[in-house]
Amino acid sequence: MPMRMGLKGTPQMKKRRHTPDQIVRKLRIDDQLQAEGKEQAEIAKHLEVSEATLHRWRNQFGGMKAD
């Protein structure tokens, strides 16, 4: 993924957008990994998103099902 320069010349990663289907699938994986006893930080790293993003997705998409 290409790097871009942010404030004060610090490198930043390009932002990614996920479709609702991708989000629901990642939340299912999150549920499975939590059931296996994984830490939330470890799960977020595995899914390549932040813990805050997982929390926000859970609030927005928690009750939805992917086709």
Side-chain angles (χ1 to χ4, degrees):
M1 193 172 287
M3 297 287 278
R4 62 185 177 149
M5 300 309 275
L7 297 174
K8 299 182 183 178
T10 58
Q12 292 181 329
M13 296 298 291
K14 182 178 176 186
K15 290 188 179 183
R16 247 188 268 187
R17 298 276 181 178
H18 292 84
T19 66
D21 282 343
Q22 290 172 325
I23 292 170
V24 172
R25 285 188 187 100
K26 286 190 178 196
L27 288 174
R28 282 187 186 161
I29 294 169
D30 176 46
D31 290 339
Q32 291 171 349
L33 294 174
Q34 281 184 9
E36 294 173 8
K38 304 284 185 189
E39 296 283 332
Q40 193 65 31
E42 187 179 356
I43 295 169
K45 186 174 182 179
H46 174 76
L47 296 175
E48 298 179 344
V49 297
S50 70
E51 291 181 63
T53 296
L54 278 177
H55 182 72
R56 182 170 33 87
W57 285 352
R58 181 68 60 199
N59 288 334
Q60 290 178 334
F61 295 93
M64 296 186 179
K65 303 279 185 202
D67 294 336

